[in-house]
Amino acid sequence: MGVFDQKDFLGCCGSTKFAKEMVLSGPFSNYQQAVEAARDIWFNKVDVNGWLEAFAAHPKIGESPSHSQKTKSSSSAQWSEGEQSTALASATDSSFQELIEWNARYLQKFGIVFLIFASGRTTLEILAEMKKRYVNRPIVELEIAAQEQMKITELRLSKLFSLQKDASSEAKTDN
Amino acid sequence: MGVFDQKDFLGCCGSTKFAKEMVLSGPFSNYQQAVEAARDIWFNKVDVNGWLEAFAAHPKIGESPSHSQKTKSSSSAQWSEGEQSTALASATDSSFQELIEWNARYLQKFGIVFLIFASGRTTLEILAEMKKRYVNRPIVELEIAAQEQMKITELRLSKLFSLQKDASSEAKTDN
């Protein structure tokens, strides 16, 4: 059984509306049920302002979360570090530099950070994807960013559920 | 020849980026050329923040522009009054009341004002359209609002060009 509070869900997706609606929809009997609720809330109930709020809670790819982001949504920012670990481990100095530059160009054009489900992807793969997406119209890119955010949210929800399972096994061992 | 400044374009569409890019793209030799530039800028270059800025410059349907809106973009707000005149003239007390209520529901769900190219439409037509659009996903509604904004922008651009034509005929008469 997944009993989580608003702060837990805010760590999965930085939209306040999303986190509130998840609490109202729960508790969830399993991960799959939570994901179905999350998809419905994210795509049908959270408006564009909520999407922008969630995007803004992410550190830019390759950058450490800023102090304000850490304060606002600490677990979300910390999880980003783990999810970006393949990219960071595979980054050469020059590809890393190029990533920073394209990030800035992307932000300049779209007004939102470049969002990608980065788990397991190398820097070069992320860079290629960013260049491909850069030619999109802003509205198209907004929808892609929302889809990537959903993938990130799903991964984080699965972490929430497995953390809770671990905690409950430990509780049983303690008895 | 259409020689207009940033303030003129801001009166057609309340996105600062739109107005700046229109100045950079001009001067335009005719209305059609201005509309083509405006479409390219609005759909390909203005990001979601610029769209929200433009939407926020509109008074809600049936309401007078607020003081802050009048200050920010006075001609845009004043033109709204003219464009809503059919709807306002055809409004009965009850349909007007219903319009106000649906406006509030719409804003609550989508986080943006209900935008529609209102010229020549009655209150009942607008109300029917609002109810139909209310079931949409927020991202779908965002794109529809952007398309309606473009229609409004085109009408206002045509007013700009005809005002300039009038002014130039008067100038010739003076000579």
Side-chain angles (χ1 to χ4, degrees), chain B residues 20-83:
Chain B
K20 282 186 179 164
E21 292 280 338
M22 283 296 281
V23 171
L24 290 175
S25 298
F28 304 107
S29 47
N30 54 48
Y31 164 71
Q32 196 49 44
Q33 208 179 64
V35 165
E36 276 164 30
R39 282 188 191 149
D40 177 48
I41 291 166
W42 178 247
F43 289 115
N44 300 324
K45 294 183 180 161
V46 174
D47 69 24
V48 60
N49 301 300
W51 280 12
L52 294 178
E53 185 192 4
F55 299 161
H58 289 274
K60 276 187 267 180
I61 283 257
E63 288 189 1
S64 296
S66 69
H67 177 70
S68 64
Q69 283 166 332
K70 277 198 167 157
T71 313
K72 198 184 171 205
S73 172
S74 56
S75 49
S76 167
Q78 280 158 16
W79 279 355
S80 285
E81 291 182 47
E83 288 154 13

Side-chain angles (χ1 to χ4, degrees), chain A residues 119-133:
Chain A
S119 280
R121 300 210 206 187
T122 66
T123 303
L124 284 180
E125 283 167 350
I126 291 174
L127 199 50
E129 193 64 21
M130 203 187 291
K131 289 176 185 174
K132 206 172 85 185
R133 281 169 49 182

Side-chain angles (χ1 to χ4, degrees), chain A residues 134-152:
Chain A
Y134 184 78
V135 299
N136 286 336
R137 288 170 53 211
I139 181 73
V140 171
E141 199 50 34
L142 182 72
E143 191 150 18
I144 292 176
Q147 286 157 355
E148 294 297 305
Q149 170 66 60
M150 192 63 230
K151 293 181 202 165
I152 295 167

Side-chain angles (χ1 to χ4, degrees), chain A residues 10 13-15 42 48-60 64-70 72-73 76-77 80 107 111-115 142 145 149 156, chain B residues 49:
Chain A
L10 210 55
C13 170
S15 149
W42 178 247
V48 61
N49 300 301
W51 281 11
L52 294 177
E53 185 192 4
F55 300 161
H58 289 275
K60 277 187 267 182
S64 296
S66 69
H67 177 69
S68 65
Q69 284 166 331
K70 277 198 167 157
K72 198 185 167 204
S73 170
S76 168
S80 286
L107 181 63
I112 53 174
V113 296
F114 177 72
L115 257 200
L142 182 72
Q149 170 66 60
R156 291 178 180 177
Chain B
N49 301 300

